[in-house]
Every structure is written in structure tokens, then in C-alpha cells.
Amino acid sequence: MFARLALCSRQPSRNWQSNGSPVSIRAFSQSKIYLPRPHGKSFAHRSELKQAKRIVVKLGSAVVTRGDECGLALGRLASIVEQVAVLQNQGREMMIVTSGAVAFGKQRLRHEILLSQSVRQALHSGQNQLKEMSIPVLEARACAAAGQSGLMALYEAMFTQYSTCTAQILVTNLDFHDEQKRRNLNSTLYELLRMNIVPIINTNDAVGAPPVPNSDLQGGNVMSIKDNDSLAARLAVEMKADLLIALSDVEGLYDSPPGTDDAKLIDIFYPGDQQLITYGTKSRVGMGGMEAKVKSALWALEGGTSVVIASGTHPKVTGHVITDIVEGKKVGTFFSEVKPAGPTVEQQTEMARHAGRSLASLHPEQRGEIIYSLAELLTEKKDEILSANRKDLELATASGRLSQALINRLSLSTAKLNSLAIGLRQLAVSSMDSVGRVIRRTRVANNLELEQITVPIGVLLVIFESRPDCLPQVSALAIASGNALLLKGGKEAANTNKILHQLTQEALSIHGVSDAIQLVSTREEVEDLCRLEKMIDLIIPRGSSQLVREIQRAAKGIPVLGHSEGVCHVYIDSDASIDKTIDIVRDSKCDYPAACNAMETLLIHRDLLRTPIFDQIIDMLRTEHVKIHAGPQFASYLTFSPSEVKSLRTEYGDLECCIEVVDSMQDAVDHIHKYGSSHTDVIVTDNEETAQQFLQQVDSACVFWNASSRFADGYRFGLGAEVGISTARIHARGPVGLEGLLTTKWILRGEGHTVVDFSEQGSLKYLHENIPVPHRSFN
């Protein structure tokens, strides 16, 4: 047997000792080296699952079996095989505990019985027409005996497509309870792993005996193998596996039977939480229910193996569920022995939603008091805030991982805090007429009136990097609009964000709604937060274009409000004056080059080349240490030009910009539409007609005439604060302030009206008369 296996194994490999048994490193260029770790302690966090070297994948009956329970789900099985092969080729050691022999055997036996009956019946009747035939009840052991070889042949054929060899191992209880047989099993498995072969293990259902009495799940090495859940747990502990992935037909462990109204998927399950679970019935196929899975998982966890229970049948995740789990993504239920001190992000979201409803029900004056209190705290506690910010700056500088642009965004100052406080006081006043404001009133018919009022969106998730000043701004806007808020800041601003959040909660506490704004400080990945579509209503990213794009890709079920890039243009028309041009270009590029509203491309009319205005622009940029990149047209006019730009769609975020030459205002508009990001674009000209055409034609969120692009800001627009600048065309656009965080609902007040009253035979007619909107808010 081993001679054949050796022929199937890949290139010769280098060995070392792991837990007393040989393992290997594959000689593949794409492979990684997963060093063995001391066994006996499971991973504490999902993110650590990336380190798992030895992995057991358990495939439940519902995963590998078709819906008719007769035959295999070949599509699901193929995607699972592909994922296991990918992980195997990364240098991990993969083992599969599989069901399916009974289902496969049932399919084969039914086919044989039908064929046999049809032949006998045809001979007996002398006719080709067959009468209705009944199939006898098939005994499970016989089905397993008939199906096991076919199941293994199928696995072998599928894995061969990925140059991966497999080996079959059938076990019974005796193989674990008899010491000599247990050692033999261990030796075989370790040898297979050493030769880069995927062992496929199944209970030998053809000769399986009942479980050993009174020894089931008692801890230690005593565990009865009564189903594939217990087999997988026992095998994982026996082989000192790092991770056990148990796939079934449910997404994970719920606090009550899946499908019930209040059932909630448990993200992380801890030993001792069993009393919080209400179990339902077991799966339609197989022997183990969810209770058996939990007991087996906890037994494996106690033995030092991490466990994840997840769905292997969901069509949207089947093709990547295993690799997602190993990458540490939030999939299924993760079993951990380390219980965090604080609430989970799901609990934080629930707390925020509950308190957010109370926040929305406050009187406008009360929400204004909270914002005003936060503004006062920003100035009163500025020394503590700046001290925390200095710690973050020191750590960021020492790490060397952040660009200068990000460090500039990270930095706070007294001036910044004072500016924040002024904006918040301004917002406190404007928030007096926000939530519950009547937009329109209509008399539909006599004594039937309709109102449309403003209401909060719900739960907002704001993800921001580097800029801690974003936290009080966004918090104030959430308070003013009555929205619950989750904040996820970057690690680089952890100390500053912590104190700013504490001050925000202190301000909220004056009206008992401190839980309405939560700071996510757990090890949650951004992609995992974007999957909470049942809990979060809107995501607002504040950061680099890369961050925004990643969130837009990840948040498939949640709307995202943001801009992908800030490629802002300043166009210098042939009729521009020197003084305006120099001041606007300097301010647009040099005031704060890391901002998304900073100029990235300077468009210059061709007639201005080799004129004093052009020379002064270049001299000013050089004086300000701005690195210039030449666009294709600009480069063609120069004998010795700056470095030619790699892309005209670049957002530099630093003291760099591109200069390009255009033939006319229309060419500038066309260039902006082709290479811009619909953020902010500027024309500098003294020709009013040209300016009006530019303002009308440029399709960006902000379009300016003779003004710096840096004015694209919620505070400068008089909004008090902003959650960001949106380049979307649905909902809010441009700087998004208070109005952008509100939606509407309709309120109809009648006196027993019914639609039938307004039918052709009815006695009432529609009026649809507009009623003057009252000035006071709904509250």
C-alpha cells in the first residue's frame, strides 16, 4: 500500500519532528511554511486561524448528500475538494472526515433493485410495459458497504484534478479504545501526512457497533464514536490538529432552533454557555444533531483544537467557506476558551440600536445640549486629548508603516480642536429642527391627511483611518440626526479615539443614551463588519480610496456612502488673472495636500504657456516643494520636462501634482469627465460666460468658480460637520451633513377611511391638496 502512496506523493520533502511525529514542507513556490506550534491550547481569536497547519474538515451527511437523500451533491463536493486542495498546496496538512457512503450506496442499490425488478417483471408478463414497482426498505449497513468504494473513487478522481493524492481509512470505536489499534491508526495517519496525502476518514458503517455504554463525551481520551461529529472531534484531538471545521446544513450555532423568529447566529461560543442554547431537532439526514455537534466541539476544544461550525450547503458561500474560515473571516460559529472582557460587536450593535431609538425620541433641544456638551469637553479636556494623540504619533513614527500623508491626518492640534468645537456648536443650533421635521403635508380627502417627516436612518457604521477628528464630527452628526453609531477607527489612532469616545459617551450620558455611540475596539476585520447586513443600515468610509473600494466590494448587502477617490482639478482659463490663479492653486494644493479635496491635477489653457502667469505658477509650486508630473500634452511642449505622469487618475495625497495642457474650456471639461472622480473641480477665469458654462457642464459633486478646492467641506459650507463627501448620485451628494443622515416616513391620519370608499362606486373622491408645512418640528 505505502509503495503506491509513495508514487502518488509529490516531490521529495524536508522533514522535521512535530509532536513526536514526522511532518513535511512542500517544495512548491506558492507554498508557505507553517511551523508547528505547541499543542494543548486552542486559538483565542479568529484571526489566529491563519496559523493553522493541521486541519480536519468534517463533512456532514446533509453537506455531501442530495436533497432526495439518495446520491451525492456533486457540485458542493467538488468545491469542497478544491478548497481542501488549495490549502494542502499551501503547505497545510488536511484531513477529511466524510459522510455519504450510505447515500451513495442507497443510490446504487436502488438502481440495481429497479433494474432487477424490471427484468423479472418483463419476463413474467411477456410485455415491455412495466407495472408500478415498490422498492424495499434498504438496511443502512448494506448501503454503506455498497457505497463506500464508490465514494472513495469519487474523492480520488476529484483530488487527482489538483495533483493531490488521497487515502481511505475506515474506523470503528475499537480503533480508538484498543490501545494497540489506536497506535496503529496514529502511525498510519502521520505517515500519510508526511507524504503529503489527504486521509479521508469515515466510520465503518458496514460493521459499526453501538456506542460504548456510559463513556460518551466524558473528557480525557474517553469518547464514544457514535457519529461523524464525535469521530471528527476524537480524530482532531488524537492527531493534535490545530483546527476542526465542521460543515453541516446550518450557518452555525443559533441560540434557539434556526428558523424561529428570534433565532440569532452565535459568532463566538464559549464553554459554559450551553445553558443559553435551545436545541432543535437534528438534521434530516445523518445521526448527529446540533447538540451532538456542540458537545463534540467542546470536547475537541478542551483537547486543544479550535473548532468552527459552519454551513457547507449555502450556495453563496459553499465555494469558499473553508478557505474563508482559515483566513480568519467571520463565518459560522467559532469556539473559543478566551472570553473577552467587553461585549461582542453584535452586542454593541444591539446596544447602539436600542439606545439610538431613545436618542431619536429626545426633544431637539436635548440633542442640542448633548452636542454642545461635547464641544465644551473638547476644549476642556484638550490637554488629555493631545497627550493621547502624541502617543499615537510616536508609535506611528516609530513603526515606519504610515506615509507622511497619513501621519498628517493623524495629528491633532489646539487649533484643530477649537475648530471642531466651533463646528459642533454650530451643529447644535441647526439640529433643533432635524428629526421629525415635516417636509410636506397633503389633504388626501376630507378628514384624511398625509405627512412626510424626516426620521433617522437607523444604525450607521463609520470606518475611518488615521483621522481621529472624524470621531467627534461624526458622533455629533449622529446625535443631531438621532442615529445609532458604530465607529471603527484605525489602530494607529487607538489612544486618541479612546479618549474622544469616552468624552462622547460622557456627553450622551446627560440624557441617559451613552450606549447610542459605540467604538469597535475588538479584533473585528472590516470585511466582517460589512457582513452585518441585518444589523447595520448604512456604511460610511472615511479614508483612502483603497479603503473605500474595499468596503464597497465587501458590503454587498449594505448601502455605502462615500467617494472612491478625490482626483480634484483646477482649470486655469486663458482669461484668468495672475493674483487669483497663484492664490487658488497654492491653497488648493499646499494648504493640506493629504485632504481628499486637495488639487491633484492642474489644467492650463494652451495660450498661457510661456507667459508670466505660467512661469509664476511653476515658481510658486517649486517654492512650496511640490513635485510636478507632466501630462502627455504638457510633456510634448517641453524639451526637458518633469517625469511624465503614469496615470491621469492619480490621487497623490501629498505635495505632488500633475500639470496638463488643454486647448479650451470644453477640453478641460472633457478631461475632467474622463479622468476625474466627480469630487471637486475648479475653474479660474474672469470671463463670466466661460465660468457659467463650466459650472453647468462639469458633473461633479462640487464645482467652484474662482475659489480653492479646499472649500469642499461640511464645516466651510455651514453644515457644522460632515461624515464625508459623497460622489454618489443617489441620496446625499457632496459634503454630507445632518440632512444626509436622515430619511423619511409617511404618516396618514384618517377617521376609518377605506380604499373602497374611493372606488367608482364609492362615496368619496381624492382631493390631494397641499397644506402649509408647520414651522415647529414633529417632536
Side-chain angles (χ1 to χ4, degrees):
M1 172 183 177
F2 286 122
R4 178 188 175 276
L5 295 176
L7 291 174
C8 292
S9 62
R10 300 184 189 84
Q11 303 173 28
S13 55
R14 179 163 54 89
N15 298 338
W16 76 87
Q17 293 297 315
S18 171
N19 303 313
S21 300
V23 289
S24 63
I25 302 177
R26 287 166 183 77
F28 284 91
S29 59
Q30 74 271 28
S31 297
K32 302 177 183 178
I33 296 177
Y34 296 90
L35 296 177
R37 66 187 184 91
H39 196 73
K41 186 173 179 61
S42 60
F43 294 120
H45 305 282
R46 280 186 184 268
S47 59
E48 296 172 347
L49 295 180
K50 296 176 183 178
Q51 305 170 27
K53 174 177 174 59
R54 186 170 294 163
I55 302 171
V56 175
V57 178
K58 178 262 175 181
L59 307 178
S61 299
V63 175
V64 299
T65 303
R66 290 194 327 223
D68 61 3
E69 302 177 24
C70 182
L72 303 181
L74 297 180
R76 285 201 297 265
L77 207 54
S79 66
I80 288 169
V81 165
E82 180 179 17
Q83 294 172 78
V84 171
V86 166
L87 295 173
Q88 179 87 352
N89 288 335
Q90 288 178 358
R92 305 179 197 265
E93 297 174 343
M94 306 298 296
M95 292 178 280
I96 294 177
V97 174
T98 183
S99 301
V102 173
F104 201 7
K106 183 186 292 186
Q107 182 184 38
R108 294 181 66 180
L109 292 181
R110 286 183 64 180
H111 177 77
E112 291 298 326
I113 291 171
L114 284 172
L115 183 61
S116 175
Q117 287 183 343
S118 64
V119 171
R120 288 198 304 270
Q121 199 164 41
L123 291 173
H124 178 73
S125 63
Q127 300 175 359
N128 291 327
Q129 293 182 345
L130 303 179
K131 298 178 181 178
E132 185 176 343
M133 295 176 291
S134 61
I135 299 176
V137 176
L138 299 174
E139 206 273 331
R141 286 186 175 87
C143 291
Q148 189 63 49
S149 60
L151 177 64
M152 191 60 207
L154 182 62
Y155 273 120
E156 188 170 358
M158 287 183 171
F159 273 106
T160 299
Q161 303 303 312
Y162 304 97
S163 301
T164 301
C165 282
T166 59
Q168 178 186 28
I169 296 181
L170 297 177
V171 297
T172 64
N173 252 321
L174 192 59
D175 294 306
F176 290 96
H177 290 281
D178 182 279
E179 186 61 26
Q180 184 58 50
K181 289 181 178 292
R182 189 171 68 86
R183 285 199 299 267
N184 292 342
L185 175 61
N186 284 7
S187 176
T188 300
L189 286 169
Y190 278 119
E191 182 67 11
L192 292 172
L193 295 177
R194 186 187 70 81
M195 292 190 295
N196 309 331
I197 293 170
V198 177
I200 298 178
I201 304 102
N202 195 359
T203 52
N204 193 349
D205 294 327
V207 297
V212 177
N214 303 319
S215 64
D216 190 28
L217 304 169
Q218 297 298 314
N221 286 328
V222 180
M223 186 178 190
S224 175
I225 306 303
K226 55 190 286 188
D227 53 43
N228 275 343
D229 293 312
S230 52
L231 169 59
R234 180 63 187 264
L235 181 73
V237 173
E238 196 73 38
M239 293 298 295
K240 299 179 172 57
D242 301 313
L243 172 62
L244 166 59
I245 299 174
L247 298 182
S248 66
D249 58 351
V250 292
E251 292 182 52
L253 178 60
Y254 287 78
D255 58 358
S256 56
T260 56
D261 290 339
D262 298 325
K264 294 180 182 177
L265 181 65
I266 298 173
D267 173 39
I268 306 177
F269 187 79
Y270 307 97
D273 285 353
Q274 294 94 314
Q275 68 277 8
L276 305 177
I277 306 299
T278 302
Y279 296 104
T281 58
K282 74 178 188 70
S283 172
R284 60 176 174 82
V285 293
M287 298 177 62
M290 185 54 72
E291 186 171 9
K293 289 177 174 58
V294 172
K295 287 181 178 179
S296 298
L298 291 174
W299 191 90
L301 189 68
E302 184 183 350
T305 297
S306 295
V307 182
V308 175
I309 295 177
S311 172
T313 60
H314 197 294
K316 291 185 178 180
V317 300
T318 302
H320 46 80
V321 60
I322 298 173
T323 51
D324 278 356
I325 290 171
V326 176
E327 288 173 10
K329 294 180 181 179
K330 185 174 288 190
V331 178
T333 300
F334 172 61
F335 285 71
S336 174
E337 291 186 304
V338 180
K339 197 164 189 174
T344 65
V345 69
E346 289 83 3
Q347 291 170 333
Q348 283 186 288
T349 308
E350 287 292 341
M351 292 161 60
R353 185 182 291 278
H354 180 74
R357 287 170 177 152
S358 299
L359 173 67
S361 67
L362 294 176
H363 290 289
E365 293 81 4
Q366 292 174 309
R367 289 194 297 274
E369 287 174 14
I370 295 172
I371 299 170
Y372 192 84
S373 174
L374 178 56
E376 294 297 298
L377 287 170
L378 290 178
T379 53
E380 290 175 11
K381 305 288 187 179
K382 68 178 181 181
D383 291 339
E384 296 176 37
I385 297 170
L386 295 178
S387 175
N389 188 242
R390 281 193 295 272
K391 291 181 183 177
D392 288 328
L393 286 170
E394 290 169 3
L395 291 171
T397 304
S399 71
R401 291 184 291 104
L402 294 185
S403 66
Q404 188 58 48
L406 288 178
I407 289 178
N408 292 340
R409 292 181 180 182
L410 176 60
S411 176
L412 290 181
S413 63
T414 300
K416 270 190 179 181
L417 291 176
N418 289 338
S419 178
L420 274 172
I422 292 171
L424 264 58
R425 293 188 186 99
Q426 181 181 348
L427 182 62
V429 175
S430 64
S431 69
M432 296 301 178
D433 187 26
S434 56
V435 180
R437 177 168 50 87
V438 179
I439 297 176
R440 71 177 69 183
R441 296 181 66 197
T442 304
R443 181 174 287 108
V444 179
N446 289 333
N447 300 321
L448 185 63
E449 292 188 0
L450 179 68
E451 285 184 346
Q452 186 183 20
I453 67 169
T454 56
V455 293
I457 291 174
V459 179
L460 312 177
L461 168 61
V462 176
I463 301 170
F464 58 102
E465 53 185 12
S466 293
R467 293 184 55 177
D469 54 324
C470 170
L471 195 151
Q473 282 186 346
V474 174
S475 296
L477 284 167
I479 294 166
S481 57
N483 284 291
L485 176 63
L486 285 183
L487 292 159
K488 174 64 173 175
K491 296 177 183 177
E492 67 279 357
N495 293 297
T496 315
N497 288 338
K498 182 178 180 181
I499 187 170
L500 289 173
H501 178 248
Q502 289 172 349
L503 297 178
T504 303
Q505 289 199 309
E506 183 177 338
L508 287 163
S509 66
I510 65 177
H511 287 296
V513 288
S514 57
D515 286 342
I517 296 178
Q518 300 282 332
L519 180 64
V520 180
S521 55
T522 58
R523 299 164 63 115
E524 301 293 331
E525 298 291 339
V526 168
E527 188 172 344
D528 292 331
L529 293 173
C530 292
R531 295 184 180 186
L532 300 176
E533 67 274 1
K534 295 180 181 178
M535 309 178 76
I536 294 171
D537 300 294
L538 178 67
I539 300 176
I540 305 172
R542 292 284 300 267
S544 66
S545 57
Q546 180 182 355
L547 172 71
V548 177
R549 284 194 298 268
E550 287 176 354
I551 291 172
Q552 288 172 334
R553 282 195 298 266
K556 296 178 181 178
I558 310 175
V560 178
L561 189 154
H563 63 275
S564 58
E565 292 173 308
V567 184
C568 303
H569 296 75
V570 174
Y571 164 59
I572 312 301
D573 186 54
S574 58
D575 293 324
S577 67
I578 292 180
D579 292 340
K580 291 176 185 176
T581 297
I582 299 301
D583 290 342
I584 290 172
V585 172
R586 178 190 289 111
D587 192 74
S588 295
K589 180 70 260 184
C590 307
D591 174 64
Y592 188 18
C596 63
N597 56 15
M599 180 194 79
E600 305 295 3
T601 298
L602 177 63
L603 300 176
I604 299 179
H605 194 285
R606 180 184 58 187
D607 293 347
L608 297 179
L609 291 177
R610 300 183 181 89
T611 66
I613 188 171
F614 175 78
D615 294 339
Q616 289 188 39
I617 291 172
I618 299 299
D619 290 342
M620 180 273 294
L621 291 174
R622 286 174 175 166
T623 302
E624 296 289 344
H625 306 289
V626 177
K627 183 178 180 180
I628 297 173
H629 302 276
Q633 293 299 322
F634 182 40
S636 69
Y637 284 96
L638 304 174
T639 305
F640 300 99
S641 68
S643 60
E644 189 165 342
V645 68
K646 294 180 179 178
S647 171
L648 290 168
R649 294 188 176 92
T650 302
E651 181 180 15
Y652 298 99
D654 206 343
L655 286 173
E656 295 182 63
C657 75
C658 169
I659 296 180
E660 181 60 310
V661 173
V662 291
D663 292 336
S664 64
M665 182 276 294
Q666 189 60 53
D667 282 349
V669 172
D670 293 342
H671 179 102
I672 289 169
H673 287 164
K674 185 174 182 179
Y675 299 109
S677 61
S678 301
H679 191 293
T680 301
D681 298 292
V682 176
I683 183 172
V684 182
T685 184
D686 288 340
N687 188 315
E688 182 175 355
E689 182 179 351
T690 301
Q692 290 297 341
Q693 292 178 12
F694 184 91
L695 297 176
Q696 182 178 8
Q697 292 183 38
V698 172
D699 185 21
S700 296
C702 301
V703 189
F704 300 162
W705 173 25
N706 288 345
S708 167
S709 63
R710 293 277 292 119
F711 278 105
D713 176 83
Y715 169 69
R716 294 170 186 134
F717 279 11
L719 304 180
E722 65 174 41
V723 295
I725 293 180
S726 171
T727 56
R729 287 169 171 78
I730 298 175
H731 192 58
R733 197 173 190 214
V736 180
L738 178 58
E739 291 292 329
L741 298 182
L742 295 170
T743 185
T744 64
K745 74 176 179 181
W746 298 87
I747 296 177
L748 186 66
R749 295 183 175 91
E751 295 181 353
H753 292 82
T754 59
V755 171
V756 71
D757 294 334
F758 295 86
S759 64
E760 291 184 4
Q761 294 77 28
S763 58
L764 299 178
K765 300 294 181 184
Y766 290 109
L767 297 176
H768 293 132
E769 296 177 347
N770 291 331
I771 304 173
V773 175
H775 293 294
R776 293 185 61 83
S777 70
F778 181 74
N779 295 88

